[in-house]
């Protein structure tokens, strides 16, 4: 039986760390929450939704650096205290990840984020949950660059 690549996602003091490892190859990227959240607030963008978009792209980039691939499949569940456009808190549970059919072992805790947006005094939390089953394609020109970096 071969060695499976590993995806490690952890929450730290400054944000979320995403690491991928396969044999001696390692790639790591951090999402610095305070920096991006301020941008989203200033531009009146929904932080929970924007975080999920960023989360997908950081995982894709991190994995592409160790295993260049055309299609990345991500499956995760999200629980929030309101619909994603209005949520100020959310939890992400990463379920499965594969790059062109190569499955990753997931070493991740539930990613819990709070204070994503300021809420009014009359804010009423409503439990909201949704499952994502993403299939994200790498453009050919980008895939070519990752393959060149690998060689």
């Amino acid at each position: 039986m071969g060695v499976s690549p590993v995806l490690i996602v952890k929450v730290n003091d400054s944000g979320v760390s995403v690491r991928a490892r396969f044999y001696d190859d390692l790639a790591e990227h951090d999402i610095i929450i305070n920096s991006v959240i301020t941008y989203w607030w200033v531009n009146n963008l929904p932080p929970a939704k924007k975080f999920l978009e960023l989360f997908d792209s950081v995982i894709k980039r991190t994995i592409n650096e160790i295993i260049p691939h055309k299609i990345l499949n991500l499956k995760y569940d999200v629980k929030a205290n309101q619909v994603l456009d209005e949520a100020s808190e959310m939890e992400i549970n990463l379920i499965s990840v594969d790059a062109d059919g190569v499955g990753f072992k997931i070493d991740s805790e539930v990613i819990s984020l709070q204070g994503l947006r300021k809420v009014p005094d009359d804010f009423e939390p409503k439990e909201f949950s949704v499952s994502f089953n993403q299939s994200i394609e790498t453009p050919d020109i980008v895939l070519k660059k990752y393959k060149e970096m690998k060689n």
Side-chain angles (χ1 to χ4, degrees):
M1 189 160 140
V3 174
S4 292
V6 178
L7 181 68
I8 303 157
V9 181
K10 301 286 180 192
V11 176
N12 56 41
D13 291 339
S14 61
V16 178
S17 173
V18 177
R19 284 179 270 170
R21 187 181 71 228
F22 190 49
Y23 292 106
D24 291 335
D25 290 336
L26 175 71
E28 180 175 11
H29 296 282
D30 293 319
I31 301 172
I32 309 301
I33 297 291
N34 288 343
S35 298
V36 294
I37 220 164
T38 301
Y39 175 81
W40 296 329
W41 286 349
V42 167
N43 291 288
N44 202 27
L45 300 170
K49 249 187 187 174
K50 298 311 280 180
F51 179 83
L52 292 174
E53 291 172 11
L54 181 59
F55 184 65
D56 290 350
S57 72
V58 169
I59 290 174
K60 177 119 179 101
R61 177 181 176 196
T62 304
I63 291 174
N64 248 328
E65 289 179 10
I66 63 163
I67 300 175
H69 59 277
K70 185 70 177 166
I71 302 291
L72 179 71
N73 293 304
L74 292 175
K75 187 173 187 178
Y76 53 87
D77 293 331
V78 175
K79 291 181 183 175
N81 66 344
Q82 191 54 269
V83 295
L84 293 179
D85 282 336
E86 303 298 324
S88 64
E89 298 176 4
M90 73 175 170
E91 292 182 348
I92 304 165
N93 183 21
L94 195 53
I95 298 167
S96 68
V97 177
D98 82 69
D100 287 345
V102 176
F104 277 72
K105 179 180 178 240
I106 299 171
D107 180 1
S108 176
E109 55 203 30
V110 171
I111 300 147
S112 182
L113 302 172
Q114 298 161 344
L116 293 172
R117 72 180 307 133
K118 296 173 185 160
V119 293
D121 292 337
D122 62 347
F123 179 78
E124 300 244 357
K126 277 198 309 197
E127 192 172 307
F128 175 80
S129 62
V130 62
S131 294
F132 288 90
N133 196 356
Q134 310 277 60
S135 186
I136 307 166
E137 186 173 345
T138 304
D140 290 335
I141 191 148
V142 175
L143 181 59
K144 181 180 176 191
K145 289 291 181 190
Y146 278 117
K147 286 181 177 179
E148 288 171 359
M149 286 173 31
K150 228 16 221 156
N151 295 334

